[in-house]
Structures are given as structure tokens and as C-alpha cells.
């Protein structure tokens, strides 16, 4: 259904599962295990996995805070994209990578729900991608001290509103890891 011509393939996009980003997120271990299962399922189905890493604050390339958590290990042939903005498409080579792979549908997982996940979902959707938010494979830290809702509410709300997104020629869905059919 994607509005991108000649792009029938799917990919999993794992966003910002870096040491400093997910250090204090809601249900960290459970969400990382779910992302690991999602990645394993994608690989078994021959679906490409792309990894996005945020550069900023303490996340300098090759530093420990910048590195992907040890629980998740990108394969040598899986694309990795450094980003400086919330939207993983903004000023990166993600779009050409996905075009080369013929990808028109993205399964999005990672952190943080209320920032880079939402920005990347919207960025993909407005660029013509069918987008699937993996309901149980994204998380956020607790920002209630600054007036934000609790992380579990942020996650539930994002899952709720994303399932109602619509636009001509593309779809937005929310699906749990165990219900994904690549």
C-alpha cells in the first residue's frame, strides 16, 4: 500500500537502543528482550534490520554511551545510521539505504517513545512509508518531574493515536511483536 513506487519490501527500524538512552527507561529489560525477539524474527524471515543511533549530549560516536546496548547486537551487514535529530530521516542516509533495499513498510521499535520514536514514525509516514509501531517494543524514561505523563501512559497513548493515523496511499498500524507477519 505504500505510496513509494517499486518498494514492496519491509524492514525493522530499531531506534536509539543505546547505553545512555535506555539506561533508565520504563521496563528496560522486558522491552529490550522484546526488541531482541523482533530482530530475531525479522532476520529469520529475511527482513532487513536497520539500527539508528543518536549523536548528541554524551553520545559521541564510539563512546560507551553511544554504543548499542550489549543485549542487542547488530549483524555486520545490517545498516547503521547516526542521527542528530529526533526524526531518523532528517539529515541522514536512512532514506537512500531503505530505497536501495526496496523498503516501503517500516516496523519501528526502540526509544524514546515520546521523542525519537514519534518523530521517526511521523517522518516515515510523511515520506510515504507504511508504518507499523511495534506496540510492545518501545519505551520511554520517566519525565513526570517535568510535567509529562508517566511512561506507561505515554506508551499507551502513542499506541492509541498511531493506530488512527491515516493518509492517502499509506497505512499506519500498531501491532504486537507476536502478531507481526512480515
Amino acid at each position: 500500500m505504500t505510496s513509494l513506487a517499486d518498494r514492496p519490501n519491509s524492514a525493522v527500524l530499531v531506534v536509539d537502543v543505546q547505553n545512555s538512552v535506555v539506561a533508565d527507561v520504563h521496563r528496560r529489560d522486558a522491552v529490550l528482550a522484546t526488541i531482541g525477539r523482533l530482530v530475531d524474527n525479522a532476520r529469520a524471515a529475511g527482513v532487513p534490520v536497520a539500527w539508528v543511533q543518536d549523536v548528541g549530549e554524551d553520545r559521541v560516536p564510539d563512546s560507551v554511551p553511544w554504543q548499542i546496548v550489549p543485549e542487542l547486537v547488530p549483524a555486520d551487514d545490517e545498516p547503521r545510521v547516526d542521527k542528530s535529530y529526533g526524526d531518523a530521516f532528517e539529515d541522514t542516509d536512512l532514506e537512500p539505504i531503505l530505497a536501495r533495499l526496496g523498503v516501503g513498510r517500516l516496523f519501528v521499535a526502540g526509544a524514546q517513545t515520546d521523542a525519537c520514536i514519534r518523530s521517526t514514525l511521523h517522518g516515515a509516514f510523511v515520506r510515504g512509508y507504511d508504518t507499523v509501531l511495534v506496540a510492545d517494543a518501545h519505551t520511554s524514561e520517566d519525565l513526570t518531574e517535568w510535567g509529562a505523563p508517566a511512561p506507561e501512559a505515554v506508551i499507551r497513548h502513542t499506541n492509541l493515536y498511531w493506530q488512527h493515523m491515516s493518509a492517502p496511499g499509506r497505512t499506519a498500524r500498531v501491532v504486537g511483536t507476536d502478531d507481526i507477519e512480515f
Side-chain angles (χ1 to χ4, degrees), residues 125-160:
F125 198 64
V126 301
R127 287 171 175 86
Y129 290 86
D130 289 335
T131 53
V132 180
L133 175 59
V134 184
D136 52 353
H138 63 98
T139 188
S140 194
E141 65 187 323
D142 187 342
L143 300 175
T144 55
E145 177 181 346
W146 294 277
E152 57 272 13
V154 169
I155 293 162
R156 276 194 319 271
H157 180 256
T158 303
N159 287 343
L160 173 68

Side-chain angles (χ1 to χ4, degrees), residues 36-50:
R37 202 167 71 249
L38 171 69
V39 167
D40 289 345
N41 293 345
R43 288 172 178 158
V47 171
V49 178

Side-chain angles (χ1 to χ4, degrees), residues 4-113:
L4 301 170
D6 301 320
R7 308 257 301 257
N9 299 328
S10 296
V12 170
L13 189 62
V14 183
V15 179
D16 298 353
V17 289
Q18 298 161 263
N19 288 321
S20 72
V21 176
V22 300
D24 297 313
V25 295
H26 178 67
R27 299 187 62 238
R28 179 195 184 278
D29 294 342
V31 171
L32 292 179
T34 300
I35 292 170
R37 202 167 71 249
L38 171 69
V39 167
D40 289 345
N41 293 345
R43 288 172 178 158
V47 171
V49 178
W51 301 82
V52 176
Q53 289 171 266
D54 188 70
V55 176
E57 298 176 14
D58 64 340
R59 291 175 300 279
V60 176
D62 299 320
S63 69
V64 170
W66 170 86
Q67 291 173 2
I68 291 174
V69 295
E71 295 93 332
L72 301 170
V73 180
D76 291 339
D77 63 342
E78 292 173 340
R80 291 173 75 158
V81 175
D82 283 338
K83 69 174 181 62
S84 299
Y85 301 98
D87 177 356
F89 288 89
E90 199 64 49
D91 198 28
T92 70
D93 59 352
L94 180 57
E95 169 55 29
I97 289 168
L98 296 174
R100 188 172 54 252
L101 295 170
V103 171
R105 179 171 66 161
L106 288 175
F107 293 85
V108 180
Q112 301 226 21
T113 300

